[in-house]
Amino acid sequence: QVQLVESGGGLVQPGESLRLSCAASGSISRFYAMGWYRQAPGTQRELVASVTNGGTTNYADSVKGRFTISRDNAKNTVYLQMNSLKPEDTAVYYCNTKSFGVPIWGQGTQVTVSS
């Protein structure tokens, strides 16, 4: 089974940018959709953005216009470019896909936005 490993999180100030990466241990071209979720303390995990093999993207209203998801099937990697970060974007960010209907999660990467 493919494994997903996130990286790129960190501590930034409001208004700054980060780019998250999700590297897969195998080919992601067979996965129709790849996504990024996030979970803040005391809240449920929520979808941030997703991208299909055809390039169709979907974003949570709270990040539209600030975040951009992309996938590079040749590198087996999914990216999340996050601009104009806000304190409310603070969360653990998880990469996700599904294999035969079974969700696959990475271990997560912490993003903290604070002055």
Side-chain angles (χ1 to χ4, degrees):
Q1 179 170 315
V2 69
Q3 294 183 330
L4 304 174
V5 179
E6 302 95 335
S7 62
L11 171 63
V12 296
Q13 295 188 345
E16 294 186 338
S17 298
L18 279 175
R19 188 176 83 154
L20 305 184
S21 297
C22 169
S25 60
S27 174
I28 65 171
S29 61
R30 59 194 173 98
F31 297 123
Y32 173 71
M34 303 290 300
W36 285 96
Y37 285 71
R38 68 185 180 188
Q39 187 169 21
T43 69
Q44 290 190 335
R45 196 170 295 189
E46 63 173 358
L47 176 66
V48 176
S50 64
V51 59
T52 68
N53 254 330
T56 300
T57 56
N58 179 52
Y59 296 94
D61 288 343
S62 59
V63 307
K64 282 180 181 176
R66 300 189 297 121
F67 290 11
T68 303
I69 188 171
S70 61
R71 63 191 288 172
D72 187 336
N73 286 354
K75 295 183 178 180
N76 296 320
T77 303
V78 182
Y79 304 98
L80 185 67
Q81 178 66 43
M82 306 186 295
N83 299 329
S84 303
L85 282 161
K86 304 176 180 180
E88 52 263 43
D89 295 319
T90 296
V92 178
Y93 284 71
Y94 298 91
C95 186
N96 165 270
T97 191
K98 287 184 179 179
S99 178
F100 300 104
V102 178
I104 302 172
W105 298 96
Q107 84 289 347
T109 185
Q110 176 70 48
V111 171
T112 303
V113 185
S114 175
S115 55

